[in-house]
Amino acid sequence: SPYERPILGYYDEGNPESADWEIKYMVEHGIDFQAFCVFPAVSDGVMTFSNADHLFDGFMNAKYSDMTKNCIIWEAAAGSSPKSLDEWKNIYVPFYMENLFKDERYMTIDNRLVMCMFGMDNVSATIGGDAVMKEAFDYLDEEVKKLGFDGMLYLASGGHSKDLKAMGFDGWYPYAWGTEGYSLDVNTSSMLSNAKSKNVYHVPTVSVGFNSLPWH
């Protein structure tokens, strides 16, 4: 169907030329940064990202990547989570620091590095609970200060949970406003209703429609 065909046609996300076309479209329309969904994987004490060609092969090597910023969405629903605080400190944090946070193209707000997460309940369950997860977040806060930043800004992706503050999140945003997300009324009512949340900050989010046909 032509309705599911990307404006670039079917293309390789890991191709820097494809990334440059995406960057061109963004900067021409006032979009400042991309949040790349990545899937951590740890094997024998070594961490990598699977399905991250769009970031490491495409965007990172694009000629005009310095015209926009990037941050990651840690996909913890399908990707891995640290099994202990020690694994977080010794494997995850060094990987994030070396491969992401030291790159001047990484997104900051008020000198705080932005990291988004999808599947936050999985991280809490794997690492040992909400309190341990917050301890892990606090540790990373202190580590990035050694690089000259003022800490991290943690945003949860998906439905709101009363536990987000206990986990250490600063805010949350929706994955989408559902299949009716193309509607102005749906966007307006959803943003206004969620702005009343007192647990953590709700990031006002403009959604498009959600069509999963290409996946299925």
Side-chain angles (χ1 to χ4, degrees), residues 114-141:
V114 179
M115 185 166 76
C116 307
M117 182 183 295
F118 183 83
M120 46 278 183
D121 290 340
N122 286 17
V123 178
S124 176
T126 303
I127 202 170
D130 293 355
V132 181
M133 185 173 176
K134 185 178 186 306
E135 186 178 352
F137 278 2
D138 290 344
Y139 173 82
L140 182 54
D141 267 322

Side-chain angles (χ1 to χ4, degrees), residues 67-143:
M67 298 183 71
T68 60
K69 299 291 186 179
N70 75 95
C71 73
I72 61 164
I73 304 174
W74 173 1
E75 220 291 13
S80 67
S81 299
K83 298 179 178 62
S84 67
L85 194 58
D86 283 342
E87 185 176 273
W88 169 254
K89 292 180 178 180
N90 296 320
I91 298 177
Y92 281 75
V93 169
F95 183 88
Y96 288 153
M97 298 269 283
E98 291 299 322
N99 294 283
L100 297 167
F101 301 154
K102 289 184 178 181
D103 192 309
E104 62 184 12
R105 294 166 295 186
Y106 199 87
M107 179 69 178
T108 61
I109 297 177
D110 296 333
N111 203 37
R112 296 171 67 189
L113 294 152
V114 179
M115 185 166 76
C116 307
M117 182 183 295
F118 183 83
M120 46 278 183
D121 290 340
N122 286 17
V123 178
S124 176
T126 303
I127 202 170
D130 293 355
V132 181
M133 185 173 176
K134 185 178 186 306
E135 186 178 352
F137 278 2
D138 290 344
Y139 173 82
L140 182 54
D141 267 322
E142 295 306 312
E143 287 299 295

Side-chain angles (χ1 to χ4, degrees), residues 12-89:
D12 178 4
E13 284 190 316
N15 185 340
E17 186 177 354
S18 298
D20 273 325
W21 276 105
E22 293 175 325
I23 292 167
K24 169 182 167 63
Y25 296 143
M26 288 189 296
V27 298
E28 288 178 345
H29 294 85
I31 298 173
D32 301 309
F33 79 103
Q34 297 182 74
F36 290 96
C37 191
V38 295
F39 299 76
V42 176
S43 177
D44 296 327
V46 177
M47 182 172 171
T48 58
F49 280 153
S50 62
N51 300 314
D53 292 352
H54 56 327
L55 173 57
F56 287 122
D57 293 340
F59 178 84
M60 291 295 192
N61 293 297
K63 183 177 180 179
Y64 299 106
S65 60
D66 60 344
M67 298 183 71
T68 60
K69 299 291 186 179
N70 75 95
C71 73
I72 61 164
I73 304 174
W74 173 1
E75 220 291 13
S80 67
S81 299
K83 298 179 178 62
S84 67
L85 194 58
D86 283 342
E87 185 176 273
W88 169 254
K89 292 180 178 180

